Amino acid sequence: MEAYILKCDFSRVTDDTNNEFRESLDSYQEELSSLDYAGILKILKAFQNKVCVRGFPGVESPGHELAESILTAILETISEKVEEDVFSSKDVEERLLDLYVELLKSGPGSSHCELLQLIPKQVEIQDLYGDRLQKVIGGFKAISYVEEKNDSRYISTVKEVYPDQLSTIVIRSDEDRLRSPEVHHALMDLFVFYLVQLPHVPESLRIILTGSQDEINQAYDKEPFKGVQDASFYRSQLLRIKNFIKDPAFPQSREICENTERKLPYIMKIKDGKMIAEVYADICQLLKEISLKRLKDQDKDLLTRLEGFYEEIPKECFKNPKMFETWAATAQEILEKSPREKITGNELAYTTDMFTDNLKPNAALGKIWLSVIIGFCGWVHEKGIRAAEGTLSTNEWKGSWKWKENVSKAKEMIVSLTHADFSSVENAEEFSSRAETFLEKLIDQLIIVKVYKNVEVEVAELAMVTMEAFGKGMAVDKLCKAASEKTSLQNNKHLIKGYLERFLCLLKNEDFDWDAGWIEGAGIEFFDNLIESSSGDEVRDLEMDEMFIKVFLFCMSEDREYISLQTGSLNIFGLVVVTGLPQYIQLHTGKTTIGRLKPLFPHIQRLMDCDDDTMKTVMRNTTRILGEEVSQLMDTQGMENLINLYIKERDLATLDAISSAYEGHSEALASQFLPLIKACTQKTQTNEIVMQTMFLKKVAEKQPELFTKEALEVIFKHHFMDKNANPQVLLVLDAVSQSHAENLEPYTESHLMKTELMMEQMARHQFVILVKIAVKCQDKQSLVYSYLMKRLKESKVELVHIGSIFALREMHSVFGGEMFSEKDRKYLEQLKTKGATNTLRDEVENLINELEGRSLANVSKDVEEHSDQIEKLEIGVAGTKVVLKRVHRDVKKQGKDLEGVKEGLDDVNTRVDNVEVDVEETKERVEEVDKKTMSNAPTWSRDVTKLLNPESEHDWRLLASRLGYSPDDIRGWATQSDPCMALLSEWYATHKTIEASRGVLTILQEMNRLDAAIIVENAMKAAEGVVADEPVDYPEPPEIFLSYQWGHQNEVKLICRHLEMAGYKCWMDIGQMGGGDKLFEKIDSGIRAAKIVISCVTEKYAKSPNCNREVNLSVNLGKPMIPLLMEKMAWPPAGSMGPIFSEYLFIRFFQRPGEETNDDRIWPAAKFTELLMQMNCLKIMPDEGNIAPRYKNWWMPVVEEIVIPKRNEKKGENKAASSGQQNTESRVVSPDVFISYQWGKQKEIIALFQRLTSLGFTCWLDIRQMGGGDSLYDKIDRGVRGCKVMLSSVTTKYALSANCRREVSLADALKKPIIPLLMEKIDWPPTGPMSMVLTQLLYVNFSKDESIQLSWEGKHFDELLSKIKQQVPTDKIEEIQTNSNQPEKNTKDEKTVTNGNDQKQKTQETEKPRDPKQEQPRVNESSTKHTSNPVQNEDQPSQKDKKKSSTCSIL
């Protein structure tokens, strides 16, 4: 047999050869049977050498048939000898295993496969371990392609046999064997081998390898790597896969990629957290290689199949700092270098969220986080930037950012956002929205730690780049808006010019769609912030200003359209002008750079008469901003244009501009003065008439000749007859009378002597005018004199008396004393002694002195004579001193005459003393004369003038300016010896004394001149006791009480005026002021008499003690309230008003951009109508007779122009505001549980309180905390805001209680968890105003067995306890559980608790309250009348029910 095999050429075997072998088979078998172990081995060796070769004939060939026959004979012989115990199976198993392996390594070809199957069929091969296992595995790894004639037959044979043999020989079906480390590792190694070998075998063999993988996978229930404990082994497999994927040619084919994406998840599915932690670095390297691959679209499923790995990582792994550091390094590289596939971004975002939620923060990890976040910022991926924002804004991590140290990281984040490739995604809108939130939170943190200035350049660049990107079709407008809102170049002004140039290019781009998205608002914010950033420097950059002016000139050009056809409102060009120009002009007013605005002014004038009302109004107000400097920007023609515009439009702002420019262009007025005067008659409102007369005063002082008879006719007919304007008209006429008094002569009796037309405070000016007329027109002398004497005798006003005396003295100086009759002189003598005041008596005395020749001139002459005498005496004294010196020198010689000399010296000294007395008396007389000649200011004025006359930043000049006087007036007073006294004299001469004093006091306080203000205030207080105030006697009590804080007095005055125009009477504390109790008494009576209280809410209002008193009194009296929100702030306001206002809906009474009105209203037009509708619902009816025309039909629907603000309103308002609600007051630790209840269940609630505190919870309960002087609603507010959960003890009375409703409303508004406890059997939800809040909540039912409400045990209490624990932090729950397992140490009657200051106090565990007042029965709230108020829907509690549920912390 051996010789036959060695001689046989299997490739040339024919059928005849097979026939011959079969014929000789018996003899061969006999030979085989006679052989021993060694002979059998030699035959096997010979067969192996001849058959295990490449190129062996395939299946169905004669060679295969012969080889099969020979091997069958050999195997049968071996089997027989084993059965006969000639030799054991182990003796030949190794040789057969060698043959088996060599057959595998020979391809295997199709014949080899058939021969492989014969061996295990004839001889049983034992389990493979050790080297035998590795030998067989090596054979299976040696698979290679064999070229045969029938290729399809070859493939089908190998496909059928090869995986089957792997399963039969190696895998087998023993679970324990499969999970043994040796077999497990060997098969996993083979599994990975088949994966990485695919690119190196022909396509025809790949299906065989994948089939073999499937055999292994099925054997391990599709979790082949589960249970692997050897980290080094697993690392080696990951390394092979990494290198396989790292191959630049990967994936070599779609088939290879599909197999990889199917098998890779099985390899990654290990689930053992400990193993993951050990090999996580290698896993990250593999994931990195996959992520860095640039895959075709059809191959990207490979990334998708990895999602399962991320999601199956145990949660505890994400608490491992080392794993995080490993992942972070990998993530940074992926974020920087990967092709940025969406799937990869999703996986990174998921891992980011998991590490953020589970990792314990510290500064070192925080720095690593910042680098990861930088990577997310550069990748346009919405989930990635969302994850970055979540990490950045997580409270636990905020302390780890250390922005002062890591501000460069913040800068890199913004730069990464700037350089992000927005064109890499089809729709960048979602990323833009996420990035907007991220940027806002980043900048907010930088602002808080005062490092924003370090990144302001990067933010500005981001705003500009995203704006330019939007112009290229990328929807990044929201990100642009966020950056634009925060843009500031205050510290980098040199960059402003460049950004203006780029912004102007966008404005010039006709294809830029400014109406789309948020981009218009972003552009306006950006431009306005550039203007604001340019402020602050004393010397402004010329090139920067030139660029600003270029932008404005482009937007204001004559062919520019200002209205968007899409929105119907101002477009970008109009908004640039409307929002930016006034702000920009303001920066130049009062500066030397004002002349740079000159190119803009012709366009401003043109737009003052444009078609758009908003543009027109803003341009006119802009000229007001310029003030008198407007004259520097216009020529005479410009002035004429303004005059013509006013004649046409009669606009107040235009008149203001004319008045401001008048000093520089007065010549333009001459030809148009009369038409201008006539145009003034068309305006009838008081403030406009007053402004007209102020302008006319300027003209009268500079060009009195323009006041012709025709012009004066108009003035007397229109302006003079208006009582409010009459004082100003008298000032105009006073100026005219100085040079053209004859023109006023026709109006002497008809107007100027009509006492009833004029204010008595203006009598002095009236009399001066009349005297001037008398001087010019001699025939009026007697008439004027008689009128003056008549006013002196008939008037009871001191100012009239003094004015008359001054005028009579002037008449005397001009016409002499002949006109004074004897009767008049006697009257003057009486007045001198019986005059009402010292001032009046002194002035009368001066007049009498002048009539009798004793004038001030004579007094001055006497003073001069005394001065001459004093000088002579001084010379004499000097001479005497000389004589004395000589006397002393000669004293020894003339000792006898010494006594005589001394007597002479004493005489001289006496004379000198007399002279000094005379000097002092003269000074006193001069001062007395000076006082008598001063003005009408009160006596305290001298003390004030001593403080204000010295030159300072806040001296008398600022006071004069604040009082409304012109620079010319101030210059005039500056020439006097006591300018402040001259100012006050003029002020008190033209105003009522009390109003003048209040005005001076207010302005001094605003100027921060408290030293002078206290003098005025003390003087006013001292005068209060002179006479009792007359009580305000309303015909009937005002229906509306206006509650407000004095910082917003002017706004509330405006609201009051409009309410009165709508027919409602209002109570305000203006004019009601009194000292101490008097003020509170008037407020009390005002609230009690009112039918409704309107609260004008601001942040200062919420903090004001007086405003809190008004609100609390209104609530206790059951007065309906309507809150008006006067400024943007959080709702409800923090503090004691929070529980009250939480149940009210406010009316927003401040304007947003686009809601401006054309008049003085500071609220949106529709909001006032809303206020009127609410009052109408509350049955507050107006007085029809007092309703102004504009409010006659207020209930008619108004077509309102809706303007959508171009800025993100969705979160900026309340979010920022909400952060500002942090309570800065010192307070105890916040409670776990706030117990809200109605006092009818007090006994049961005390038991609940004791049960919860015994379990370790901290609770707030009203009777355990409230003390004397505590603020009721402030305690409730702080208790609710600080608690983790509210327990709402629901009963019928509870549902109807106003105080309980406030607590629930406040908790609901603050999003506090509420657990309702059903304390009695009622329908759910309970009827009443609480139903809207409670209907969505699941209650814990304690109503079935009310005995539980005293013991608080059982399944329902356990249910309550479970719900509480869901809201209490984990560490607190552990503490509670520890406490619950400890035996109770306190006695039955007494237990020790600790308050917020760690001071122990004893609280008796009795059902009786400690406070005797609490033993009084509470008012049955269900018996109170339940109103159907559409606004409040609130009960009217009794005075005793002032306190329902408050807060007490037992810590």
Side-chain angles (χ1 to χ4, degrees), residues 926-946:
V926 171
E927 289 182 0
E928 185 177 351
V929 170
D930 185 44
K931 290 181 180 179
K932 292 179 179 179
T933 56
M934 291 307 292
S935 64
N936 310 301
T939 55
W940 50 258
S941 300
R942 285 198 171 276
D943 297 326
V944 172
T945 57
K946 290 177 182 178

Side-chain angles (χ1 to χ4, degrees), residues 699-980:
V699 179
E701 292 171 348
K702 189 167 185 177
Q703 294 176 290
E705 68 277 4
L706 297 182
F707 289 84
T708 62
K709 292 183 178 181
E710 189 173 4
L712 289 171
E713 178 68 26
V714 175
I715 292 173
F716 274 107
K717 184 177 180 181
H718 181 69
H719 297 83
F720 190 87
M721 303 305 293
D722 189 297
K723 286 188 176 181
N724 293 301
N726 184 271
Q728 296 292 335
V729 176
L730 286 175
L731 295 177
V732 175
L733 298 179
D734 191 354
V736 173
S737 68
Q738 301 298 322
S739 58
H740 294 76
E742 66 278 5
N743 291 343
L744 302 175
E745 186 271 337
Y747 309 100
T748 304
E749 296 183 69
S750 59
H751 290 80
L752 294 174
M753 289 185 177
K754 291 291 184 181
T755 305
E756 64 273 10
L757 294 178
M758 285 166 282
M759 295 174 58
E760 293 176 329
Q761 288 81 356
M762 297 300 294
R764 182 174 178 179
H765 293 279
Q766 175 195 9
F767 298 158
V768 168
I769 296 169
L770 291 173
V771 170
K772 295 294 183 184
I773 294 174
V775 172
K776 283 282 186 177
C777 306
Q778 299 291 332
D779 58 330
K780 298 295 183 180
Q781 171 187 342
S782 176
L783 178 64
V784 171
Y785 170 77
S786 300
Y787 179 76
L788 292 175
M789 288 303 300
K790 178 182 179 183
R791 293 298 307 278
L792 178 63
K793 296 175 180 178
E794 295 180 356
S795 177
K796 297 181 180 179
V797 178
E798 181 185 4
L799 289 176
V800 176
H801 295 160
I802 294 174
S804 301
I805 297 299
F806 271 109
L808 289 171
R809 291 174 63 186
E810 185 68 21
M811 293 281 287
H812 171 264
S813 65
V814 176
F815 301 107
E818 293 79 7
M819 69 182 70
F820 289 84
S821 64
E822 194 64 31
K823 182 179 179 181
D824 291 341
R825 289 174 182 264
K826 290 181 179 180
Y827 177 77
L828 292 174
E829 289 290 346
Q830 295 175 358
L831 198 58
K832 174 184 174 181
T833 57
K834 297 181 180 180
T837 64
N838 290 333
T839 303
L840 176 59
R841 291 192 292 270
D842 290 343
E843 293 300 333
V844 174
E845 182 179 5
N846 289 337
L847 174 58
I848 294 174
N849 288 338
E850 290 178 2
L851 289 175
E852 296 178 357
R854 297 189 303 272
S855 64
L856 286 176
N858 295 332
V859 175
S860 299
K861 185 177 179 181
D862 292 341
V863 172
E864 291 175 0
E865 290 177 357
H866 280 288
S867 299
D868 293 340
Q869 293 176 9
I870 292 170
E871 290 177 1
K872 292 177 181 180
L873 288 173
E874 288 176 347
I875 294 172
V877 170
T880 303
K881 289 181 180 180
V882 174
V883 172
L884 285 174
K885 289 180 181 180
R886 292 174 182 174
V887 170
H888 282 295
R889 283 196 301 265
D890 299 337
V891 70
K892 290 181 180 181
K893 296 179 181 180
Q894 301 176 358
K896 294 180 181 181
D897 301 324
L898 183 59
E899 293 298 325
V901 173
K902 288 183 177 179
E903 291 177 0
L905 183 60
D906 289 339
D907 292 340
V908 172
N909 289 336
T910 302
R911 293 179 64 193
V912 172
D913 291 339
N914 292 335
V915 170
E916 289 179 350
V917 171
D918 290 341
V919 171
E920 291 299 323
E921 290 178 352
T922 303
K923 288 182 178 180
E924 292 177 1
R925 292 188 63 191
V926 171
E927 289 182 0
E928 185 177 351
V929 170
D930 185 44
K931 290 181 180 179
K932 292 179 179 179
T933 56
M934 291 307 292
S935 64
N936 310 301
T939 55
W940 50 258
S941 300
R942 285 198 171 276
D943 297 326
V944 172
T945 57
K946 290 177 182 178
L947 296 173
L948 297 184
N949 274 331
E951 185 174 349
S952 69
E953 184 180 357
H954 294 162
D955 59 9
W956 68 273
R957 295 170 296 176
L958 180 59
L959 175 62
S961 177
R962 292 289 185 89
L963 290 174
Y965 289 106
S966 66
D968 287 342
D969 295 330
I970 298 174
R971 293 187 193 102
W973 292 320
T975 61
Q976 301 189 27
S977 59
D978 191 341
C980 184

Side-chain angles (χ1 to χ4, degrees), residues 284-481:
C284 287
Q285 289 300 312
L286 173 58
L287 297 175
K288 182 186 74 174
E289 291 301 331
I290 298 173
S291 301
L292 295 181
K293 275 290 176 184
R294 295 188 178 275
L295 300 172
K296 299 178 181 178
D297 290 342
Q298 60 186 8
D299 297 330
K300 291 178 181 177
D301 285 344
L302 175 61
L303 300 172
T304 307
R305 297 297 296 273
L306 293 175
E307 290 179 346
F309 165 73
Y310 290 98
E311 295 172 359
E312 291 180 5
I313 296 178
K315 186 176 180 180
E316 61 266 15
C317 291
F318 294 104
K319 299 178 180 179
N320 189 328
K322 291 184 178 179
M323 282 184 60
F324 168 71
E325 293 175 14
T326 302
W327 171 82
T330 306
Q332 290 177 53
E333 193 170 352
I334 293 173
L335 289 167
E336 180 182 354
K337 300 178 181 179
S338 76
R340 299 182 175 179
E341 296 295 344
K342 186 173 183 179
I343 301 169
T344 305
N346 292 343
E347 293 161 352
L348 290 173
Y350 171 81
T351 311
T352 298
D353 291 338
M354 294 301 294
F355 275 122
T356 300
D357 293 339
N358 294 282
L359 200 61
K360 185 176 181 180
N362 65 57
L365 298 181
K367 197 164 188 177
I368 298 174
W369 261 129
L370 296 179
S371 298
V372 176
I373 294 173
I374 290 170
F376 277 121
C377 291
W379 189 349
V380 183
H381 188 280
E382 59 275 7
K383 288 187 178 180
I385 196 67
R386 189 271 309 151
E389 179 267 321
T391 302
L392 186 74
S393 59
T394 299
N395 286 331
E396 290 79 4
W397 280 101
K398 286 181 180 179
S400 304
W401 301 146
K402 307 295 182 185
W403 285 122
K404 289 189 177 180
E405 302 173 14
N406 300 317
V407 68
S408 60
K409 297 287 186 182
K411 189 177 297 187
E412 289 183 58
M413 293 176 193
I414 300 170
V415 171
S416 297
L417 281 173
T418 305
H419 296 158
D421 183 9
F422 302 112
S423 62
S424 61
V425 293
E426 294 181 0
N427 185 3
E429 184 174 1
E430 187 170 353
F431 172 80
S432 174
S433 179
R434 295 288 189 184
E436 171 195 22
T437 305
F438 170 83
L439 183 65
E440 288 174 345
K441 293 186 177 180
L442 171 63
I443 293 177
D444 287 343
Q445 293 183 27
L446 298 179
I447 291 174
I448 290 173
V449 296
K450 313 297 184 186
V451 295
Y452 175 67
K453 64 181 180 181
N454 298 82
V455 300
E456 64 178 23
V457 174
E458 286 70 24
V459 174
E461 181 65 14
L462 174 61
M464 192 74 255
V465 168
T466 49
M467 202 179 304
E468 291 168 340
F470 186 86
K472 297 175 183 176
M474 303 170 202
V476 291
D477 48 319
K478 290 184 178 179
L479 176 58
C480 178
K481 174 180 171 295

Side-chain angles (χ1 to χ4, degrees), residues 525-571:
E525 290 281 1
F526 182 77
F527 183 67
D528 288 349
N529 285 333
L530 290 183
I531 295 175
E532 184 177 352
S533 298
S534 70
S535 64
D537 288 348
E538 289 296 328
V539 180
R540 291 180 60 86
D541 182 69
L542 177 60
E543 293 184 354
M544 176 186 70
D545 278 334
E546 289 175 346
M547 200 63 231
F548 270 120
I549 290 173
K550 283 183 181 179
V551 174
F552 284 123
L553 289 176
F554 177 78
C555 294
M556 297 169 72
S557 59
E558 291 192 26
D559 57 346
R560 190 71 57 222
E561 293 287 344
Y562 296 106
I563 303 298
S564 168
L565 295 178
Q566 296 182 31
T567 63
S569 57
L570 287 174
N571 60 15

